[in-house]
Amino acid sequence: MKSALRFVLALLFVGACHKPPPAPIYQAVPVQRRDIIVTAQASGAINPDTIVQVKSKASGEILDVKVSTGDVVKHGTLIVQVDQRIPANDVATAKATLQVDSAQLANAQAQLKREQDLFAARAVTQQELEAAQLAKSVANAAVVRDNIALENAKIGLGDTQVLAPITGTVIAEAVQRGTVISSPNSSASGGTVILTMADLSLVQVKTWVDETDVGKLHPGQQADVIVAAFPNRPFKGEVLKIEPQADTIQNVTMFPVDIRIGNKDNLLKPGMNADVRIAVGQRNNVLTVPNAALRTEKDVTSAGTVLGINPTDLQQMLADAKKTFTDQMAQQSDTGAQAPLPPPNAGAVMPDTTRGGRRAAADTSGSKHGRRSGGGDSSSRGGSGATDNAGTSGGRAGMAGGGNGTSGGRGGRGGRGGGDFSSGGRYIVFTLKNRKAKPVYIQTGLTDLDYSEVKVGLAEGDSVLMLPSASLVQSQQQLQQRMSQNSGLPGQAKPAAGTPGATAAPGAARGGRGSP
């Protein structure tokens, strides 16, 4: 009885060891219409649009500071009172000097009048008359100088009352009552800063945009700005300026871009961190397909293996699909609605359908930037090797342009990677026809890295298959091989290859295709 029980347990164990891993779940997704919006993303900090450092033209002790940080002050309001004693004495001195010189001018004028009368009576010489005229001119110049000195003294006295230069908010206070300040007119250091004011009705965000995205931006372009204080309330802004000089940040070339935002409610404060999204492409109500369903000619074989399509049959299907696609493109070209057929995506990089890959954007044109920053290694940072073609994206999937450039690793910081997002590319999807998988060539357009616009190849109502990545299929096949190698009972030697007791590894039949 015990021997029979052990025999049954052994059979169950062997059956459990030979149980294939669960097959991947494929999802048929209908081709639907939706809006696609592509944005360039960047980060920065809120800064006031206008900042003024308030200084006093008068030197001396501060007697009173009438504002504090956070106060909203109108233009011309008294904010600081400086000691007036010395400027007041200067005014009094200028007035006294003016009185003396005015009296001398009156005397010079009277003397000139007498000399003119005597010269008419031939009682004085021409030289004496000219001397009287000169004395009168000297006295008149002294009066003019005194008037100017008096006016300057009055200005200096008025400078002891520091007025708000703009209508704005006091954001920093540098001195307190009793502090002795110096004037910028008399100090080589530029004078003492009393406080700082800013006009917060307009603020700016200085961001850094990747060089691959900066070509899509232009002044006046709309942007959405989100701050942590108001996560559910995007603020509307516009691109104010794109700096011509680039900066290198973490070995990535970035361009400073200024975004101006209206802030009449005074909700945005200087120093707040902000995330900026600038719309660089938009398509409304267009046919779309999930990026995870797209395949290139290099990885279509692995996809066909997953679907159980014989490789020979798959090649024939691809040839028929390519002919159909070429006819469709030619028809579109004849009607003027479609550009000529682009070159095949022989080296195209498929979108990384992992979490890290979806968050990053691609170099869409196979450009110099893509080749430089791409690693071509499926183990690169941020990706999981979603395809088996060379140059697999490692964090930024080369999708929209269908080029052969990749952007491995970080690729670019803060923004969606380059190229023309509207150029699209040529890809292969698997559709369901009479409950059978069939490859179809399509031409894509704009992509937001989750969905791509379909220009040619599919119609509304068609269904495409969401397939696992090639790396996932490979890992499943390796798991099957390990399980088959370890399928013997504990303590029992594995039969030698070629013996009647040897077990063929899954996938040995039908050209080595394993059960997923």
Side-chain angles (χ1 to χ4, degrees):
M1 185 65 181
K2 292 183 179 179
S3 300
L5 180 59
R6 283 197 298 269
F7 180 77
V8 173
L9 292 177
L11 290 178
L12 293 176
F13 181 81
V14 172
C17 292
H18 282 280
K19 183 180 179 180
I25 299 176
Y26 312 136
Q27 182 181 3
V29 179
V31 178
Q32 297 177 337
R33 293 188 178 272
R34 67 179 66 239
D35 297 339
I36 295 182
I37 301 176
V38 178
T39 60
Q41 299 185 10
S43 299
I46 300 293
N47 294 308
D49 188 73
T50 303
I51 301 178
V52 178
Q53 290 183 333
V54 181
K55 299 181 180 180
S56 172
K57 295 182 181 179
S59 301
E61 180 184 356
I62 293 180
L63 301 180
D64 189 15
V65 179
K66 299 183 178 298
V67 295
S68 60
T69 55
D71 291 346
V72 179
V73 183
K74 292 184 178 182
H75 176 264
T77 303
L78 176 64
I79 54 178
V80 174
Q81 179 64 59
V82 182
D83 186 5
Q84 294 182 330
R85 290 176 297 175
I86 295 178
N89 293 338
D90 293 340
V91 171
T93 301
K95 287 182 177 180
T97 303
L98 177 60
Q99 289 178 352
V100 172
D101 290 339
S102 296
Q104 291 179 353
L105 175 60
N107 290 337
Q109 289 175 339
Q111 181 64 29
L112 177 60
K113 181 68 172 66
R114 287 192 294 269
E115 292 293 334
Q116 289 174 342
D117 293 342
L118 291 175
F119 180 78
R122 298 180 181 272
V124 295
T125 63
Q126 179 71 30
Q127 184 178 2
E128 292 174 328
L129 176 61
E130 291 174 352
Q133 290 175 339
L134 178 59
K136 186 260 182 182
S137 297
V138 171
N140 185 67
V143 171
V144 172
R145 288 195 299 270
D146 293 341
N147 281 320
I148 294 175
L150 177 59
E151 185 65 24
N152 290 338
K154 289 180 178 179
I155 292 174
L157 180 61
D159 288 339
T160 59
Q161 292 184 331
V162 182
L163 308 180
I166 62 172
T167 298
T169 304
V170 179
I171 61 175
E173 191 175 354
V175 298
Q176 300 294 331
R177 179 179 178 181
T179 304
V180 178
I181 62 174
S182 60
S183 168
N185 298 331
S186 59
S187 175
S189 62
T192 305
V193 176
I194 300 175
L195 51 85
T196 303
M197 295 184 62
D199 181 8
L200 299 183
S201 62
L202 284 176
V203 295
Q204 292 185 15
V205 179
K206 180 177 285 295
T207 65
W208 281 263
V209 177
D210 190 284
E211 62 176 331
T212 57
D213 280 334
V214 74
K216 309 181 189 74
L217 306 183
H218 57 80
Q221 206 165 9
Q222 298 299 310
D224 289 335
V225 180
I226 298 177
V227 296
F230 306 98
N232 298 322
R233 177 176 177 175
F235 294 86
K236 297 297 181 181
E238 65 177 16
V239 177
L240 177 64
K241 183 179 181 182
I242 302 171
E243 297 290 347
Q245 180 62 49
D247 292 332
T248 301
I249 302 175
Q250 296 183 0
N251 296 326
V252 179
T253 302
M254 315 289 281
F255 282 84
V257 177
D258 294 332
I259 310 296
R260 174 176 283 177
I261 313 163
N263 189 34
K264 293 185 177 180
D265 296 335
N266 202 26
L267 297 178
L268 299 176
K269 309 295 183 183
M272 283 184 172
N273 294 321
D275 292 328
V276 179
R277 297 188 181 95
I278 307 172
V280 296
Q282 183 171 352
R283 297 287 187 273
N284 296 324
N285 195 31
V286 294
L287 287 178
T288 60
V289 64
N291 286 357
L294 301 180
R295 290 294 180 270
T296 64
E297 293 181 349
K298 281 194 172 184
D299 66 344
V300 70
T301 302
S302 62
T305 301
V306 172
L307 294 172
I309 303 176
N310 186 278
T312 303
D313 296 339
L314 178 61
Q315 294 303 319
Q316 182 61 43
M317 291 180 182
L318 289 175
D320 296 340
K322 185 178 294 186
K323 183 179 182 304
T324 302
F325 177 75
T326 304
D327 294 341
Q328 292 175 342
M329 291 292 291
Q331 182 179 1
Q332 291 286 347
S333 180
D334 291 340
T335 59
Q338 177 66 39
L341 176 67
N345 295 38
V349 179
M350 287 308 302
D352 188 343
T353 57
T354 62
R355 180 179 180 184
R358 286 195 304 268
R359 294 174 56 187
D363 185 340
T364 61
S365 61
S367 62
K368 169 183 174 183
H369 173 75
R371 292 191 296 272
R372 181 185 64 197
S373 59
D377 184 357
S378 62
S379 62
S380 299
R381 177 181 177 186
S384 64
T387 67
D388 59 351
N389 34 329
T392 301
S393 171
R396 291 185 179 272
M399 170 59 216
N404 60 358
T406 64
S407 182
R410 289 179 62 88
R413 174 184 165 189
R416 292 184 181 267
D420 183 2
F421 280 95
S422 63
S423 61
R426 191 175 82 180
Y427 295 99
I428 302 169
V429 296
F430 285 89
T431 63
L432 283 179
K433 299 292 185 180
N434 299 323
R435 296 186 179 182
K436 293 183 179 180
K438 177 184 177 182
V440 174
Y441 279 87
I442 65 170
Q443 173 71 20
T444 63
L446 190 70
T447 179
D448 60 3
L449 303 181
D450 289 323
Y451 291 88
S452 293
E453 175 190 6
V454 178
K455 292 185 174 180
V456 177
L458 294 174
E460 190 171 3
D462 290 344
S463 296
V464 295
L465 299 181
M466 300 276 284
L467 302 176
S469 64
S471 61
L472 177 59
V473 175
Q474 183 180 4
S475 65
Q476 290 176 343
Q477 292 175 347
Q478 293 174 353
L479 177 61
Q480 285 181 315
Q481 293 176 0
R482 288 196 300 269
M483 293 180 65
S484 64
Q485 292 171 0
N486 299 325
S487 59
L489 291 174
Q492 183 180 15
K494 182 180 177 182
T499 62
T503 303
R510 290 196 295 176
R513 180 175 60 84
S515 178

